[in-house]
Amino acid sequence: MTGRIATEDFDPFRFSLLYRNVKRLHTGWLALPAVAIVGVLVLVCLVEGTFGGPADFQPVADTRRAVGVPEQAGSAPSFPFMRDIVSWMLVVIVITGAVLLHRQWQHLARCLSGLAENGVLVARDRPRSNLLSRLLRVDRMTAGTPPERALDTVVTRVMAPLERRSAGLLLCLSVVALVLTILLVLGLENNVFHVLAPAGLDEQAKAEWTRQAYSSWWAGKHHIAGHILYWVLAVFAIFIILNFQVVGVIAVYLAVAMQFVVRPSADWLNRDGRYGWAPLARVYRTVVWSNALLGVTLTIVLASLGIDNYGWVAVLVVVYILLVPLCVVVPWLVFRRAAEAARDARAEVLARLVDQRGLDIDSDLEALAPVVAELERCRSARIRPLRLGTASYSTYVVLAVLPVLLTAAQIFLPLTFGTR
């Protein structure tokens, strides 16, 4: 097939030291360390006497208090692990994020070569050139390169410096994760649980209640082992978030850059059920869910700190606001016309076939019948490179707007019920 290409993959395992040695490990095996983390967490709380009992489990009452809805039961300034539902959810998110990141990178590590093998990425006769291609340095990277090698050249030149700087990248992300964790822990130390304080307290009484709540908290600085464990989990969680975003930004760069050197097509035998685009759909699904996971994380943290104390996690909020559209919307913009382009290219192939055989559309109707049937089949093909499914999209939208919904709830519900 004319225009077929072969290309190197964008493989995060090659420049990230986080999962370098577990690239081929089945993601399910990562559940074993997760069980160990939960076991250590429970053991630490039991040893320090901060695990609590069934009476401390009050998620419904605490949720009502967090959004400003009056609650008849008193809110004691005591927060053992059993009452700290927020930490439960964050532990689950840390584990889920680590597993999802591994799965995303596995899909990325074979996405481009898979698309090329399926024939859905076809070399342009010559690379497109405009202001954007020059800004992205695509023109410079592909100068003098044969069209069928252009994409491979772009990927290689992106991967090479990343591999050389893998240790520096690890250090940089680790330092940033540590700084953001310090801000988070300081925010918790000064504001944690104040949204759960009894309604009607004056500022001094509320401050004293918050101080007692923090002193009793299983992960507070008064419980050394729990405090250290919380730090470790928080640093790792933020490190995972940063890895998602850094790799996501580079992947989006490649997705935009590749449009100048290849054009979309389709596997008209539909061997993977997605007309050859299954490798990309698998990657995009993990991108969508990783950003939804970040939205849930911010929702939980904001619920703990209170919306008016968002400054302690302002960097993560900014990352969410800027990078969610970049990682979710830009790929859609890039591939939104892939189906149309593939159909038009197929129609051109069929038209050339008719011309080569010297068929006349008026007098050779019987001979043209298979061509017309094939053209109709291609025109009706449902080619959706980024298709997630209705349930996936609707669920993602709900999760993505949770921080906005929480902000509105904490602002307007107290006004509605006349509290705080």
Side-chain angles (χ1 to χ4, degrees):
M1 175 179 178
T2 304
R4 289 292 290 248
I5 65 171
T7 180
E8 179 181 354
D9 279 300
F10 171 58
D11 185 354
F13 290 100
R14 288 170 48 186
F15 62 83
S16 174
L17 301 180
L18 176 61
Y19 288 137
R20 174 167 292 182
N21 297 320
V22 292
K23 175 180 177 178
R24 291 177 176 79
L25 183 71
H26 190 283
T27 303
W29 287 106
L30 296 182
L32 294 180
V35 173
I37 291 173
V38 174
V40 171
L41 188 58
V42 171
L43 179 62
V44 164
C45 290
L46 290 174
V47 170
E48 292 193 320
T50 56
F51 190 79
D56 296 304
F57 184 72
Q58 41 188 296
V60 176
D62 280 343
T63 299
R64 290 170 61 89
R65 297 180 184 114
V67 297
V69 179
E71 176 62 34
Q72 297 298 322
S75 181
S78 175
F79 286 90
F81 185 68
M82 280 294 290
R83 185 177 180 182
D84 191 6
I85 305 300
V86 168
S87 292
W88 291 24
M89 292 187 290
L90 289 177
V91 169
V92 172
I93 287 173
V94 171
I95 295 170
T96 304
V99 171
L100 183 60
L101 182 66
H102 184 262
R103 174 59 71 183
Q104 181 185 96
W105 288 5
Q106 284 186 326
H107 290 327
L108 276 171
R110 49 179 177 263
C111 178
L112 292 179
S113 62
L115 294 175
E117 290 170 4
N118 292 345
V120 301
L121 297 181
V122 180
R124 294 183 179 276
D125 294 335
R126 59 180 179 178
R128 291 169 52 200
S129 179
N130 57 27
L131 177 60
L132 181 57
S133 70
R134 291 191 291 273
L135 289 175
L136 296 177
R137 300 173 65 87
V138 176
D139 293 9
R140 178 176 297 184
M141 287 188 285
T142 58
T145 303
E148 67 275 9
R149 299 296 303 171
L151 179 58
D152 183 67
T153 299
V154 172
V155 177
T156 300
R157 295 197 176 184
V158 169
M159 287 292 299
L162 291 172
E163 289 186 76
R164 289 196 303 268
R165 297 174 174 86
S166 58
L169 181 61
L170 175 65
L171 179 61
C172 180
L173 293 181
S174 299
V175 171
V176 174
L178 180 60
V179 171
L180 295 180
T181 300
I182 291 173
L183 293 175
L184 173 62
V185 172
L186 287 174
L188 293 174
E189 184 175 340
N190 290 282
N191 302 286
V192 71
F193 305 130
H194 84 282
V195 296
L196 303 180
L201 295 180
D202 58 34
E203 289 301 317
Q204 184 176 356
K206 188 173 183 179
E208 176 60 23
W209 187 95
T210 303
R211 186 191 64 78
Q212 294 179 19
Y214 180 78
S215 298
S216 69
W217 185 34
W218 70 272
K221 62 183 178 181
H222 302 286
H223 306 287
I224 302 301
H227 193 55
I228 293 174
L229 183 57
Y230 194 91
W231 266 82
V232 171
L233 290 175
V235 170
F236 182 68
I238 295 177
F239 183 74
I240 290 291
I241 291 172
L242 294 175
N243 273 274
F244 267 122
Q245 303 307 330
V246 169
V247 170
V249 169
I250 301 171
V252 169
Y253 167 83
L254 284 173
V256 176
M258 65 190 284
Q259 302 306 304
F260 296 100
V261 296
V262 297
R263 57 181 175 82
S265 184
D267 171 19
W268 294 108
L269 295 179
N270 196 20
R271 283 166 288 197
D272 63 0
R274 291 178 180 267
Y275 292 90
W277 288 98
L280 181 62
R282 285 192 288 265
V283 171
Y284 190 65
R285 187 182 302 114
T286 62
V287 170
V288 167
W289 283 109
S290 64
N291 282 283
L293 199 64
L294 177 57
V296 173
T297 303
L298 287 178
T299 300
I300 294 172
V301 172
L302 290 172
S304 301
L305 295 175
I307 294 298
D308 52 341
N309 295 304
Y310 74 91
W312 295 103
V313 290
V315 174
L316 291 178
V317 173
V318 171
V319 166
Y320 182 79
I321 293 173
L322 294 180
L323 295 189
V324 166
L326 179 69
C327 294
V328 175
V329 178
V330 172
W332 176 81
L333 293 174
V334 169
F335 293 102
R336 73 189 188 283
R337 294 181 178 173
E340 180 183 349
R343 294 189 187 102
D344 290 345
R346 184 64 170 172
E348 291 178 6
V349 170
L350 294 174
R352 286 197 299 270
L353 179 64
V354 170
D355 290 340
Q356 290 170 2
R357 294 183 178 180
L359 299 177
D360 182 78
I361 59 174
D362 294 320
S363 59
D364 297 318
L365 295 179
E366 184 176 353
L368 284 171
V371 177
V372 173
E374 174 63 9
L375 181 61
E376 181 61 26
R377 182 183 76 90
C378 295
R379 287 296 182 191
S380 61
R382 302 183 67 185
I383 305 172
R384 300 178 182 178
L386 304 179
R387 180 167 62 90
L388 296 175
T390 302
S392 296
Y393 270 122
S394 59
T395 305
Y396 168 70
V397 170
V398 171
L399 295 177
V401 301
L402 274 177
V404 178
L405 296 177
L406 178 64
T407 302
Q410 290 201 340
I411 292 174
F412 294 110
L413 284 181
L415 297 177
T416 301
F417 289 95
T419 59
R420 306 192 186 183

